[in-house]
Each structure stands twice: as C-alpha cells, then as structure tokens.
Amino acid sequence: MAVSSAGKTVAALTVVALAAVGFLTYQAAAGASDLPARGDRPGASASPSPGAGEGGDGPGKGEQESTEAERPPVPAGSGTGLRVVYSLKAERVWLVGEDEQPTRTYPVWPSALSPAPGEYAVVSRSESVTGSDGVPIEHSVIFTSAEGTVIGFSAAADGSKPRVGEGEPKTGGIRSARKDASAMWTFAPVGTKVVVVR
C-alpha cells in the first residue's frame, strides 16, 4: 500500500506534537518548585488549608477547615461554565462546576513567573515527575508558558516548601497542598478552561 505525502506529513506532525507535550511536562515538573514560604504570603486562608493535616509545610499549615459561608466567592469577571479560576492577587484557586458553584477553593504559593490574566486551557498533565529542585512533584496540570517556561498547578509529594531566592531558577509551578493538587487533577483533564484574574 502506497503512503501519500499527506500521510507522511500527518505522521511527522504527530511526532512533533508528542515531543512538545513531553517537553512541556518535563519543564512543568522542573518548574513546580519555585514558591515562597508561607510567611512571605499576606493574609490567612478562609477555606480548607492546603497543608493542614499533611506532612511538610504546605501553604496554610495548621489552619482550620472553614465553613462554606466563610469561603471567598468566585471572582467576578472570571467567565462562565466549568473552569479553574486562579487569582494572582488573592493567591487562590477555585474549581468551578458547570452550575457556577465552586466545588473547592484553596490558597496556593504563586510561581516566580506569573501568567498574564486571561483565558487558557489545560494543555498537559503529569501524575508524578521530579521537580528541578529534585523533589518529586505530583498532579502537575499545565495551562500556559511565560518566558519559555511552562506554568501550571502541582504539589510536592513530601509537602515541602519550594526553594526560592537569588540564584534559583525562575519556574512556573503554582504549588498547593497535596490534597488540593489531587482535587485539581481529578477536576481538570486536558482541555479544561483555566481563567487567570488579577
């Protein structure tokens, strides 16, 4: 059976696309370790805390679970329908169902490289990889890139704080507690809308 030039082109594009996804997943894992310590973040959480009840020092370590009435509302202007909402200013994520109700909200450590406000979609995921700091990372959910570095949500498998400071690489890992990263993993397959607001 003869192979057409169109078939060869499709095969070549498929190989390139798979290589790009693999590269983005690798960079996401390498970039998931650049979050500031809890003491560097303003304010307290009003929802279930990322580090509470887990090993390590996740954001919100030691804070109490909140009632639904105490949780911050989904930011205005964050779109409609099923989506992940990430507020740069609030350093918080909301997982919003199709009924416009948040199924979960939690604080995060922002990445060194922040995504621009706007609408994105999950482009790749990796259940378990190693970050650039050598720490195993879980539930990496990638949705964009900045300055050649992928940006996404993840958690350190041991719940540890990321290293930041002079000489550390600029990475795009928006880190949360393990239980929150697991919830993100379940909620946001490839193609899920991600809305970044100020």
Side-chain angles (χ1 to χ4, degrees):
M1 179 175 173
V3 177
S4 69
S5 62
K8 290 179 184 177
T9 302
V10 169
L13 289 174
T14 301
V15 169
V16 170
L18 289 173
V21 168
F23 176 73
L24 290 173
T25 301
Y26 170 78
Q27 276 203 329
S33 64
D34 196 22
L35 303 171
R38 174 66 181 162
D40 295 341
R41 294 184 50 215
S45 169
S47 68
S49 57
E54 297 180 12
D57 294 321
K61 179 73 174 157
E63 295 174 7
Q64 298 297 314
E65 297 266 340
S66 68
T67 66
E68 194 168 320
E70 295 172 326
R71 292 183 185 151
V74 177
S78 65
T80 60
L82 188 136
R83 65 199 182 279
V84 174
V85 177
Y86 172 42
S87 171
L88 299 167
K89 184 177 178 183
E91 297 179 356
R92 177 169 288 276
V93 165
W94 290 260
L95 306 180
V96 182
E98 290 189 23
D99 62 358
E100 296 300 320
Q101 297 302 308
T103 61
R104 188 180 196 95
T105 181
Y106 54 89
V108 295
W109 280 309
S111 59
L113 295 173
S114 294
E119 188 174 307
Y120 304 90
V122 174
V123 295
S124 69
R125 300 172 2 129
S126 183
E127 191 166 11
S128 179
V129 294
T130 300
S132 60
D133 58 357
V135 174
I137 303 300
E138 297 177 333
H139 303 120
S140 178
V141 176
I142 307 306
F143 64 92
T144 191
S145 64
E147 298 179 29
T149 301
V150 296
I151 297 176
F153 307 103
S154 64
D158 65 0
S160 67
K161 295 178 187 176
R163 296 185 317 228
V164 295
E166 287 296 317
E168 297 293 335
K170 287 201 172 198
T171 59
I174 302 162
R175 191 172 288 177
S176 67
R178 294 176 69 197
K179 66 181 179 179
D180 295 323
S182 179
M184 171 71 76
W185 180 262
T186 301
F187 183 85
V190 170
T192 301
K193 183 178 3 177
V194 177
V195 179
V196 178
V197 297
R198 293 206 187 279

